[in-house]
Amino acid sequence: MTVSTLPNTLIRGFLLAVAALALSACGTNPTIAPYAGEEQGLVIFAADIKVLGDTELEYNYLFTVENKDTGETHRMRMLVEENKPYAVLGRLQPGQYRLTQREDIRRDARGIQLAEAEGEFRVEAGKITLPKLIEVEKKKYTRKVWVRNLSKEDAELIYNLDIAVEDEYQGWALLTD
């Protein structure tokens, strides 16, 4: 390569990099972002996660939900994070659902604890359902978990302040009864 062709090579490489970046930015994340004709709803729990002392979160959660209309069950994995006011449970087809079980699964795969879960909620296409609050208090040697009902007012507050402002949830609406 001669000195006179070096600027052309650099410009060509720069243009290729810009084109690749532009093409990759055009992709969407269909697991989160809604699209025209959305057929599923998104279930999110409010979250209050407290880690006290010199410790860290060590569990993820698997919830079993049953579609009351069809009897079909789904096991849905929920990851919780400290300082995040909500946790995404996942997408479901529209219908009436009930929680049947919670599994606390250690992140290092060394153990599972089962707990009952209860509550009913409704899912609509293109809407976010906020039916529950998951609270976790983690200390060095203890961990407590509560799954509680969430009031309509609290659900609207969390949706408006924390969820609706996120880019990945633009276009989703909160399901209100």
Side-chain angles (χ1 to χ4, degrees), residues 41-170:
L42 185 60
V43 181
I44 297 177
F45 283 14
D48 184 11
I49 312 300
K50 294 180 186 138
V51 178
L52 308 170
D54 185 25
T55 189
E56 62 186 46
L57 291 172
E58 60 199 344
Y59 283 85
N60 292 324
Y61 302 92
L62 255 175
F63 285 90
T64 302
V65 298
E66 178 184 359
N67 185 320
K68 291 175 55 177
D69 303 326
T70 65
E72 184 179 13
T73 61
H74 303 272
R75 294 181 70 211
M76 305 179 76
R77 184 181 188 136
M78 176 190 289
L79 307 177
V80 295
E81 297 177 33
E82 189 178 8
N83 300 321
K84 191 168 181 182
Y86 63 89
V88 177
L89 185 60
R91 289 175 173 248
L92 288 170
Q93 292 296 321
Q96 289 292 127
Y97 289 86
R98 71 181 186 99
L99 292 170
T100 59
Q101 183 174 285
R102 185 187 86 224
E103 298 174 53
D104 302 355
I105 301 175
R106 285 186 61 99
R107 292 181 180 176
D108 63 6
R110 289 190 300 162
I112 297 174
Q113 296 177 353
L114 298 177
E116 286 186 23
E118 59 183 49
E120 296 184 359
F121 58 93
R122 185 167 53 93
V123 174
E124 285 186 14
K127 304 250 176 128
I128 291 175
T129 301
L130 270 159
K132 296 286 183 179
L133 164 68
I134 183 167
E135 296 175 281
V136 178
E137 182 180 279
K138 177 66 176 97
K139 296 180 182 176
K140 188 164 185 162
Y141 298 109
T142 62
R143 178 184 58 94
K144 297 178 184 174
V145 180
W146 302 274
V147 177
R148 306 179 198 271
N149 288 329
L150 190 63
S151 72
K152 178 182 173 183
E153 294 79 20
D154 288 343
E156 288 176 354
L157 186 64
I158 290 166
Y159 174 79
N160 289 326
L161 294 178
D162 299 311
I163 297 172
V165 297
E166 297 286 335
D167 289 341
E168 62 238 296
Y169 303 113
Q170 295 302 308

Side-chain angles (χ1 to χ4, degrees), residues 5-21:
T5 61
L6 183 60
N8 289 338
T9 305
L10 287 175
I11 291 171
R12 186 175 297 138
F14 176 75
L15 291 175
L16 285 173
V18 169
L21 182 62

